[in-house]
Amino acid sequence: MIQSVKVKNLSLSKDNVRKTNREAGIDTLAANIAAQGLLQNLIVTPLKKAGHFTVKAGGRRLRALQLLIEQGTLPVDHTVPVLVLTDDDNAIEASLAENFQRVPMNPADECTAFNFLIQKGMTAEDVAKRQGVTTRFVEQRVRLAELAPCVFEALAAGEITLGVAQAYAVTSDIDRQARVFAQMSTSYYGDTPDNIRRAILNGTVKANDAKARFVGRDAYLAAGGRIEGDLFATEGDENWIDVDLIETLAAKKLEAAAAELAQSEGLAFVTPIAATHVPYDLERQLHEFHAPARALTEDEQTRVETLSAENDQLVEQLESVLADGTPEAQMANDRIDAIERELETIDDARHEIDPALKAQIGTFIYIGGDGEPRVHTRLFSEKPVVDPNAPPRTTGGETGEGAAGDAEQGSKLSATLIDELATQRRQILVAHIASDPAMALDLTIFLMAQNVVFEQHHVPNHSTLKSSAAGFPIFGFRDEGSMASQTIDDQRQRLDTSWAGHTTMTERFDAFRALDDEARGAWVAFSIARTLEPTLNVAEGYRQNAFHDHLGRTLDIQVAHWWRPTAENFFGRVKKGIMLDALEEIGGPILRGRYKDAKKGDLAATCASLCNGQGIVEAEIREKATAWLPDAMRFDAVEKPAKTALRSSFVDGDDGNDPAEDEDTDIGDVDTDLEPDDRAGDQDDDQDLSEAA
């Protein structure tokens, strides 16, 4: 029997078969009841107290009604229709039937219904409010309702899942959806959302791409560019469709910036590079120019000394007399800042380039990873720079770097005597340098730094100390686009090369020693780092060097922040078992089993997508995937002792040159096969250093 009962007279029965997830979706159901009313009556049985009933079926509806009354949406004495049963057994059976016999609504029908409401004139916000869902949920369902007919029909027929349909819906281009659907229908692994999404988005650019950020969203749209938001990804994620337009706009904007920079700085040229780095090959086609810093004038030197003394005095006061936070301490800190700014101004004046020289040199402008234009800090010239203010050359040979003219003025010495005297003078020089650590350290850094700057020129320095860049084992390998390579390029650009513009090694060394500790320290760090050869954490081969692993651990290197495995650089080049092992390490046997029958190419793409945070998986699995690395790329190896201890010549008192002992010394797993020092052509590249500078 159907009758009306006040909600406050209803209570939930303990016999209701739904025991778990009772509170799930109550807010949504309440919003729907508020908009549509109670569309289905409750099933109740009477209690002993007259007019009171216990709800056997419809417990969630009762909670939703109680929530609406509590919120004030419904009145306290609100009544609802109920079906009154007198038999408890029948009531339990009714509760079971109501919960057990439910058939979930087909996603396609949901989409059609939401789209129907929108077509009637309701806004997405209105529908969301009436149905108790988010506006984004409504927009997602409407997007699915507008899928290509073939895709939507497959969703309605249960041939594809909701996740697959969402992958097709990342674009509103139904023709592209239909083409990809036709391709994927015949693919063995064409029902994977990651593969579908990758195929759909092929040829598009993400909004966070460096070029897209450089062009700007407004400029792109104003030029007719098309943007599609991915409703099924992170909110705000967009795909820019017209890649050619992005390239054109980026090139025009960069050309304008290059022209403006060239005019404002008086440079001969500024070459725009519509990329995130300047190709090394372009640099090699030009002459690198190093502007020497002039010496300080007497007035400048006096001012620098005065400011430095004042700075030291203020620092001493802050450390010993002035208390933190007092007005006096704040005044002292402000004065120190002012001193630093004035010293920087004086130093900048030393590095100003003569306008006559600027008219012969130029540089590059490119797009930084943050989407901002970046100016190459190094300067170049198409031809050797000619300084119109330089004194004319005198006949009788070049000056500096060991001119031959002076040697021929005196009496000629025999070759044997020259060798003997040179050896004796070398011994004297070595004895003195070895007793002066400060001079030796400066000389070490200078020789390595000079090797970096003039590595394309033959500069005889009569020292065996080198810091040549280690050669890549793959000829012609280029990796400028990686985060690590870009960082190395930035480090190279920040090095102070003012000393390199001088024409003699003597002048360069004196100018180098005049640099501050931080500038010289940057040179030694860069010079030493570039000598490291490629090694890998593998069990076999000469590529293993566990000492490098120790360096990596000491520096706390987080490889996952710098390198991610992709189908191109890893997964597509290993056996299927390695990929499945990676999946098991990330998500356990379940994740491995999910992809065990996939084709190798599809599996490589899936693994790459997961490890780059693009897979549709649980948050815990995504976190593990984005941190996963192959063992070879980890700095986990531990160095093993050499099989025979290396003997020190200093301990034994010999000169370490006994060939017999050298043959007997076994240094364990260290591979003594040396790769050829790729210095071929150095002698052929001899150039006048004054021109190179």
Side-chain angles (χ1 to χ4, degrees), residues 269 280 282-291 360-364 376-385 449-457 489 492-501 523 687-693:
F269 64 89
Y280 178 65
L282 285 182
E283 292 184 5
R284 292 199 63 179
Q285 296 174 15
L286 302 171
H287 299 266
E288 188 169 349
F289 173 79
H290 305 282
Q360 304 175 58
I361 60 180
T363 188
F364 298 93
H376 208 13
T377 57
R378 285 181 282 163
L379 298 171
F380 302 86
S381 64
E382 296 179 350
K383 298 179 180 180
V385 174
Q450 183 170 251
N451 184 230
V452 172
V453 174
F454 300 114
E455 62 182 338
Q456 301 303 322
H457 309 274
D489 184 62
R492 171 66 176 89
Q493 290 199 50
R494 288 195 295 268
L495 295 174
D496 189 338
T497 59
S498 59
W499 56 272
W523 270 109
Q687 298 185 30
D688 183 7
L689 189 55
S690 63
E691 294 181 353

Side-chain angles (χ1 to χ4, degrees), residues 148-177:
C150 57
V151 181
F152 191 76
E153 290 169 4
L155 176 63
E159 297 172 359
I160 62 174
T161 64
L162 181 61
V164 170
Q166 290 174 346
Y168 282 106
V170 296
T171 178
S172 60
D173 187 344
I174 60 175
D175 291 334
R176 185 169 185 81
Q177 292 173 2

Side-chain angles (χ1 to χ4, degrees), residues 38-49:
L38 187 64
L39 302 179
Q40 183 180 359
N41 59 264
L42 308 178
I43 299 176
V44 302
T45 58
L47 294 173
K48 292 181 179 180
K49 187 175 181 180

